[in-house]
Amino acid sequence: MIQSRAYSTGRKQLQSILAKQIEEIKAAGTFKVNLVSRRPEKNCVLNTQQNERVITTAQSSTIGVKDSPKVVNFCANNYLGFAGHPAIREAAKSAIDSHGNGLGSVRFICGTQDIHKQLESTISKFHKKEDTILYPSCFDANAGIFETILTENDAVISDALNHASIIDGIRLCKAKRFRYKNCDMADLEERLKEADAAGARIKLIATDGVFSMDGSVAPLDKICDLADKYNALTFIDECHATGFFGKNGRGTPEYFGVEDRIDIINSTLGKAVSGAAGGYTTSTKEVITLLRQRSRPYLFSNSIPPAVVGSAQKAFELIDTEGVQLRKQLVANTNLFRSRMAAAGFTLKGENHPIVPVMLGDAKLASDIADEMLKRGIYVIGFSYPVVPKGQARIRVQLSAIHTTQQVNEAADAFIEIANSKKAKL
């Protein structure tokens, strides 16, 4: 009788290698655990239940966390509060009723519904572009764009602090790669000169519109000027800008007045726009047509579910109606928190954006302060290496339009009191 087994003979070797890596992460103080317990189960290499904080309610300004009282949430990308908006929830339910739970197919076989085309049209009009293609996430959109439109004859010039999904997408293409210092226009110009010297046919400048770990905004006006000077194209990732940044929520291009000078925009439906999932690329008809033919994440991924499509469609409607007042409230909350923290002596990164990195330097200090904040009912997260550079540990605070003035002040008060109690160097 042959005894069955659950794993291959190579399991022990893999387990040993992974266990060592996990211990190295723990030793570095960067292991991600929840706040229920910091002690892994006995004789267990990794207790997966302690990998993430478990939320027991809908996403909102106040949330329930497993084995903990309700807390005020300052670490979600729920910039406009749309993740739990009643009209958006109803739109998702209605889409399920009319178009089902899912397609069980990729788009080009039998996975395109009328609502997918309607949403793509809505996004194109929103960004003033010719056409749009939907993806399961913006990570997929970034994975699909570079290898589709660039060849070994081309060059991509990328900001040093671009999101991991942009970096991974660039790795998949055969184009020559150049990297410029974060938001450094002199360095960008030098890289453009190098690309020209290398004989690049197409030069594509790739940048985040807003850098998610710093809350800083790419100087798109200056980037566009250099693009014009060197006959280059512009690509931006707008995940932390779409729907709430700029006067009408059209993102960093609107903020800098360069909406007609950005060639390709990738963004998400999973942050300010409904807070659910999904991503897209919006650009010229030629770019989008080629993506439909060759973009692997699009060709080999199931269609976005109707509930996500329906909720996003409603969210884009609300951005132009309720969004007007919500954006004003978000700006007020951002200014209040930034001003209070700066007055207290904290070092902050970014400007004019609801991502507010509170710079602490030391990884353990960032983790300890985040733990103390939770005890006071404020949910924030400490970030340290390798997510951010060594010595630049921080707590990233994210404001939402649905935070009350009282909640914003309570968060600032807690930071100040805890920092003083720890005699932290700010």
Side-chain angles (χ1 to χ4, degrees):
M1 181 177 178
I2 299 175
Q3 185 177 0
S4 63
R5 64 189 187 200
Y7 302 99
S8 69
T9 55
R11 177 176 68 95
K12 287 186 177 180
Q13 181 185 20
L14 175 63
Q15 188 176 23
S16 175
I17 292 171
L18 298 184
K20 181 180 178 182
Q21 293 178 13
I22 291 167
E23 288 305 316
E24 288 172 352
I25 295 172
K26 290 179 181 178
T30 57
F31 187 76
K32 298 171 183 63
V33 296
N34 67 13
L35 294 180
V36 178
S37 170
R38 287 188 175 273
R39 183 185 303 164
E41 291 179 352
K42 189 176 181 180
N43 299 325
C44 182
V45 173
L46 175 63
N47 175 11
T48 56
Q49 294 303 312
Q50 294 175 334
N51 240 2
E52 299 166 343
R53 295 176 181 174
V54 179
I55 297 172
T56 58
T57 63
Q59 184 67 274
S60 188
S61 58
T62 302
I63 56 173
V65 179
K66 187 177 180 181
D67 299 329
S68 176
K70 283 196 172 184
V71 295
V72 183
N73 186 5
F74 280 94
C75 53
N77 301 310
N78 189 23
Y79 296 109
L80 297 176
F82 283 178
H85 194 291
I88 291 175
R89 291 164 69 170
E90 286 304 313
K93 295 174 185 176
S94 177
I96 290 177
D97 290 341
S98 62
H99 287 75
N101 185 55
L103 278 299
S105 172
V106 298
R107 285 283 298 272
F108 79 93
I109 297 178
C110 60
T112 297
Q113 294 175 313
D114 54 350
I115 56 174
H116 291 98
K117 301 306 291 183
Q118 290 163 12
L119 179 58
E120 288 171 339
S121 176
T122 294
I123 294 170
S124 298
K125 292 175 183 175
F126 182 85
H127 287 289
K128 301 178 182 177
K129 300 300 178 190
E130 294 177 0
D131 202 358
T132 297
I133 182 173
L134 294 173
Y135 288 90
S137 69
C138 189
F139 202 111
D140 286 319
N142 286 341
I145 182 69
F146 300 102
E147 71 168 341
T148 299
I149 67 171
L150 301 177
T151 72
E152 65 274 8
N153 299 316
D154 306 317
V156 57
I157 304 96
S158 177
D159 190 288
L161 293 189
N162 276 340
H163 190 268
S165 60
I166 298 176
I167 295 170
D168 285 357
I170 291 172
R171 285 172 176 167
L172 292 171
C173 78
K174 296 179 180 179
K176 300 173 184 67
R177 305 170 198 170
F178 301 89
R179 187 173 69 169
Y180 65 96
K181 297 174 185 176
N182 178 233
C183 294
D184 187 325
M185 296 299 97
D187 198 41
L188 171 57
E189 184 163 18
E190 289 304 310
R191 303 292 82 76
L192 285 165
K193 290 177 181 178
E194 289 179 5
D196 272 342
R201 181 189 59 170
I202 295 173
K203 297 182 293 294
L204 178 66
I205 303 170
T207 182
D208 277 313
V210 175
F211 296 90
S212 61
M213 278 298 140
D214 287 1
S216 56
V217 184
L220 293 190
D221 53 344
K222 297 176 182 178
I223 290 174
C224 287
D225 288 344
L226 286 173
D228 288 345
K229 182 177 179 180
Y230 289 92
N231 194 31
L233 297 169
T234 51
F235 162 92
I236 58 171
D237 179 316
E238 280 287 87
C239 285
H240 290 277
T242 299
F244 67 94
F245 201 63
K247 181 180 179 181
N248 300 296
R250 265 56 178 179
T252 52
E254 181 183 49
Y255 183 77
F256 286 102
V258 294
E259 287 180 272
D260 59 341
R261 301 174 70 190
I262 301 299
D263 298 294
I264 304 169
I265 296 175
N266 279 8
S267 194
T268 182
L269 305 174
K271 291 183 171 60
V273 184
S274 83
Y280 58 85
T281 297
T282 187
S283 185
T284 63
K285 286 189 178 296
E286 291 81 5
V287 167
I288 302 306
T289 298
L290 191 61
L291 288 172
R292 292 193 195 280
Q293 298 299 312
R294 293 184 179 174
S295 176
R296 294 165 71 86
Y298 175 82
L299 292 171
F300 300 107
S301 296
N302 266 18
S303 303
I304 297 178
V308 174
V309 177
S311 61
Q313 184 71 51
K314 175 57 69 173
F316 277 109
E317 293 176 20
L318 294 177
I319 285 169
D320 287 337
T321 54
E322 294 181 23
V324 176
Q325 183 56 42
L326 289 171
R327 285 190 292 276
K328 290 179 181 178
Q329 186 59 51
L330 181 58
V331 169
N333 288 346
T334 299
N335 291 341
L336 172 61
F337 184 76
R338 281 187 173 273
S339 63
R340 286 212 56 200
M341 294 292 282
F346 284 91
T347 300
L348 309 175
K349 278 205 167 191
E351 56 184 56
N352 302 325
H353 195 277
I355 293 176
V356 186
V358 181
M359 304 303 294
L360 298 166
D362 183 72
K364 187 175 185 306
L365 177 62
S367 178
D368 289 347
I369 290 180
D371 288 354
E372 288 296 321
M373 292 285 286
L374 193 76
K375 292 177 183 177
R376 297 177 184 230
I378 307 293
Y379 183 180
V380 292
I381 294 286
F383 291 89
S384 56
Y385 181 82
V387 179
V388 296
K390 287 183 178 179
Q392 294 188 29
R394 67 199 67 183
I395 292 175
R396 184 180 68 173
V397 177
Q398 291 175 272
L399 283 302
S400 171
I402 57 173
H403 283 131
T404 66
T405 300
Q406 179 180 343
Q407 289 171 335
V408 175
N409 278 319
E410 286 175 352
D413 290 339
F415 265 111
I416 295 166
E417 292 169 10
I418 294 169
N420 287 339
S421 71
K422 292 184 177 294
K423 296 182 172 56
K425 292 182 181 180
L426 307 178

